[in-house]
Structures are given as structure tokens and as C-alpha cells.
Amino acid sequence: MRRTYFIWVVVGAILGLVCFLNLRSSNIPDADSFYHLGHARVYASQGITHSDFPWTQYSIIRTHKADIWYGFHILLLPLALFKNPIYAIKCGTIVLSTLTILLIAWSLRTVDRSRYIFWLALFLTASAAVLFRLNMLRPHPLSLALTLVFFTTLIARKKSVEDEKKKLAFLAGIGFLSSWLHLALSWLPILVYLVWMFWRIVLVKLLHKKEVIARIDWIEGGSILLGMIVGWIFRPHPIGALKIAYVQVVQLSIEKIRGIPLKFGNELLPFNVVSFTAQLWPFVLLIALTCTAGYWLVFRSEKFRENQKKLAAHLTAFSLMVFFLLLTFIVAVRSLELFVAFAVVFSALVGAEVLPYISKKTLYKRLAITLVVIQTVI
């Protein structure tokens, strides 16, 4: 009973926070929200297989007659009932942001049941830019949340064959949603899986030479890939959608490397060190403490080193954290939320192992809470 009550309190607090952030101003922070709403209205009036969009005459969307955010626009169909677009966007953003934060909380709870509220607070207060982009009517927040859910599901232990079957079905479902909602970001679960299997193989070769990678580990990769393929095909003109995703992910990156100036999308520009330091120095300090604790955990605890899957989970989260940090400075500032997300997951993994041993020493807890408070004020 107390557990159910606590869960409802958490849900209420998240909903209250989202409503406060969205309703304190009548402005819409992201112009893309009008595009996504308009796309949903076209489907509502012309049918969900309609692909000739009237207001994209000189866009590759019109050329290829496809939609890389097809599933997301289908989910927005109820918003077409609103006559006022501002009300529709506000309502949709509240639902989307609440769902996203709940999924992130669920993934963090999978990692550390005792302190997941603290890790969620750390994520939400890490940067104003992250919180700002979480409160937009766009598919990116859901893609972020699904990636975290995929990672924490992938590393979770299952006690029986029946649990493993449910896990495979769940991973396939995440793969489907990833590509159906946002085809251009469907590579995220694949990246997570490849890094996870890389560390599994490396650790088997280096530390656990008598062990082998189980067949089920490879089947998990097949499940996510199968789900992604179904999610990609389950839309009008899937080939055209794949071409648009290529332009948005690959060709855009190539043009940026060639030095062609972008006249749109500040979030597509690299982050500069000055802004990064000004916004995230408390968070980075806490991550530095976490890395120090992780170093102690790996090199001082023989028992931890013997647990191959647990060590692989830590190394995967750390590697992804570093990878997305580099993307933030080299490619685009919108990689920042992925860096923060995996930094928090890595901290939660380390905290779940280290904090029980120092629970009597309140210095570390007070320091961490102080940093969260400082982040919130900043």
C-alpha cells in the first residue's frame, strides 16, 4: 500500500513539474511543434496513408513522399480535435514530457531501486538545456527514454526461461517503437547493443576465458533488429523514409564536416567549452566523483571484477557517456541530453555498488545533494 502511494506521489510530482514548465508561459518554445501538429492534422483529415504534404513544396519530404516520424504523428492524432493549435501543443507536450520522465524514472529504478528518485532529480537538474528540450512536442524525448529503457532492460538479469522470452519480446517492442516513432534516431539501440556486446566479448577474452557468450545474447540483438525492421516498414513509402533519414543523419553530418554553414537549427551546431562549463560544472564534478568511485570499484574489488555482466554494464554506460560527450563538442549540442542520460545511468550503476558500503558516512550523500541543489539554483 505504501509503495503504491509513493508511486502515485512520484507521478503527481512529475506531472506538476511538467505542467509548471509548460503553462507558465503561453509561448511555444519550439517551432517544430507546429509542424508535427500539422502533420498529424493532415493524417486526421486525409487518412493515415496520405503522403502528399501541401506545405513542404521544396523539401525532400515532398520529393520522397515519406515520413520519418510516422508513428509519432499517428500518436498525435487526438490533438487534431483541438481547434486552437496552442492548446493542442501544450496538452500534447504535457502528456509527452510526463511519459518521457516516467520512462526515464523506470529505467533508473531498474538500475538502483533504493535511490532512483535521487538519480532522476540529478538528470532533471543537470542542465537547463536538457530540461528545455524535454518539454517540446517532438519525438526526440521519447527516443531518449526508449534508449535508456532498452539499455537497462538489456543488462537486467532474468531468473527463468519464461522471463527471457518476455525480455526478447520487450526488446523487439522497443526496436519497433524506436524506428516507428523516429526513424532517424533508430540507430541508438543498435549502438547500445554493439557497445554492450563489445565489452562482453572483451571481458570474456581478457578476464573470463572459460566463459562463452550465451546464445541468448545474440538472439537479443536479433530481436531488437527485427522490431526495428517492422517499425521501419510499418509506414507509407518506407524506402522514401529511409532516404530522408539518410539525408538527416549521414548527409547533414558530411556537409557539416565540409564546412558548409548551416542557416537553421542552433541545436545542430557543436557545443562550445565555455557554455558547457558554465552550465554543467556541478554535474561534471559529480560525474568525476563517480568515475573515481568506479575506478576504485573495478581495480580494488575482486568480487566485482568476477561478475562479467555487471562489469560490462558499467563499461558500456561509461563508453556511451564519453561517446555522446564527444558528439556534443564535435557534431551537435543536441547530443547533450544523451551524454547527461548515460552519465546519470553510469552514476546510478556505480552508486548501487558503492553507496551501501558508505551509508554510515553522510559526507558523500550531503555532497551529492548539495551539488543537485546548486544545479537547480543555477
Side-chain angles (χ1 to χ4, degrees):
M1 184 66 181
R2 291 180 59 187
R3 177 183 172 185
T4 304
Y5 175 77
F6 179 73
I7 290 175
W8 280 111
V9 169
V10 172
V11 172
I14 292 173
L15 180 59
L17 173 64
V18 170
C19 288
F20 169 75
L21 292 173
N22 279 278
L23 301 180
R24 62 178 181 168
S25 171
S26 60
N27 296 329
I28 303 298
D30 181 40
D32 287 353
S33 301
F34 291 96
Y35 166 78
H36 293 302
L37 176 62
H39 217 140
R41 284 181 166 178
V42 168
Y43 287 144
S45 61
Q46 304 293 329
I48 61 174
T49 60
H50 182 79
S51 57
D52 190 15
F53 307 114
W55 17 253
T56 55
Q57 298 294 321
Y58 304 102
S59 167
I60 57 170
I61 297 175
R62 179 67 183 274
T63 303
H64 296 298
K65 298 182 183 299
D67 183 5
I68 62 174
W69 307 287
Y70 180 74
F72 182 67
H73 296 150
I74 295 299
L75 294 183
L76 297 185
L77 283 176
L79 299 181
L81 298 173
F82 289 85
K83 293 183 179 180
N84 189 319
I86 302 298
Y87 293 161
I89 291 173
K90 290 290 184 182
C91 181
T93 303
I94 289 172
V95 174
L96 175 66
S97 300
T98 302
L99 177 60
T100 298
I101 296 174
L102 286 174
L103 287 174
I104 293 172
W106 183 25
S107 63
L108 291 172
R109 187 175 183 274
T110 304
V111 174
D112 189 358
R113 284 177 170 267
S114 302
R115 290 162 287 269
Y116 73 97
I117 296 298
F118 168 75
W119 302 120
L120 180 63
L122 180 63
F123 173 78
L124 294 176
T125 59
S127 169
V130 172
L131 198 58
F132 176 72
R133 281 195 287 274
L134 280 179
N135 285 279
M136 293 181 178
L137 191 65
R138 59 196 311 194
H140 301 73
L142 269 182
S143 297
L144 168 65
L146 286 173
T147 302
L148 291 186
V149 171
F150 172 74
F151 174 65
T152 54
T153 303
L154 191 66
I155 66 175
R157 288 184 176 183
K158 298 301 175 185
K159 298 180 180 179
S160 65
V161 176
E162 190 65 28
D163 288 341
E164 285 291 353
K165 291 180 179 179
K166 292 179 181 178
K167 180 180 178 180
L168 291 177
F170 189 70
L171 292 176
I174 294 176
F176 171 82
L177 290 174
S178 296
S179 58
W180 190 61
L181 293 172
H182 193 341
L183 187 61
L185 286 183
S186 59
W187 57 271
L188 287 173
I190 292 295
L191 173 67
V192 171
Y193 176 77
L194 291 177
V195 175
W196 162 252
M197 289 305 297
F198 169 79
W199 284 116
R200 293 288 309 282
I201 294 170
V202 167
L203 292 175
V204 165
K205 296 295 184 181
L206 294 180
L207 302 178
H208 308 273
K209 296 182 179 180
K210 295 182 180 180
E211 296 184 18
V212 293
I213 303 297
R215 182 183 177 188
I216 190 67
D217 295 311
W218 300 109
I219 295 177
E220 288 174 353
S223 296
I224 185 72
L225 184 59
L226 177 62
M228 289 177 59
I229 293 174
V230 174
W232 162 54
I233 295 174
F234 200 65
R235 73 186 68 229
H237 304 293
I239 300 299
L242 194 62
K243 291 178 180 178
I244 295 174
Y246 170 82
V247 170
Q248 190 179 78
V249 177
V250 180
Q251 187 174 337
L252 181 61
S253 299
I254 293 173
E255 300 298 343
K256 289 172 64 177
I257 293 174
R258 291 173 57 191
I260 296 177
L262 293 176
K263 297 184 181 298
F264 60 92
N266 289 332
E267 64 176 14
L268 298 176
L269 300 174
F271 209 10
N272 62 74
V273 177
V274 175
S275 297
F276 180 85
T277 306
Q279 289 186 31
L280 286 101
W281 70 264
F283 179 76
V284 172
L285 178 58
L286 184 58
I287 298 305
L289 293 175
T290 302
C291 292
T292 303
Y295 175 85
W296 172 84
L297 192 64
V298 171
F299 293 98
R300 296 292 297 273
S301 174
E302 184 177 350
K303 182 180 178 181
F304 179 78
R305 291 198 305 273
E306 290 176 354
N307 192 324
Q308 185 240 6
K309 283 193 173 182
K310 187 176 289 188
L311 180 55
H314 283 68
L315 291 171
T316 301
F318 179 78
S319 300
L320 291 169
M321 175 187 74
V322 174
F323 174 75
F324 288 118
L325 177 62
L326 293 176
L327 281 188
T328 300
F329 289 113
I330 298 173
V331 180
V333 68
R334 69 180 177 186
S335 301
L336 179 66
E337 51 257 44
L338 287 162
F339 157 67
V340 170
F342 278 99
V344 171
V345 170
F346 174 66
S347 300
L349 285 167
V350 174
E353 299 296 325
V354 174
L355 290 178
Y357 295 99
I358 59 175
S359 58
K360 295 181 181 180
K361 300 179 181 180
T362 58
L363 174 62
Y364 297 94
K365 291 184 178 180
R366 290 176 180 175
L367 177 60
I369 292 173
T370 301
L371 287 171
V372 170
V373 172
I374 291 174
Q375 287 181 172
T376 305
V377 173
I378 292 176

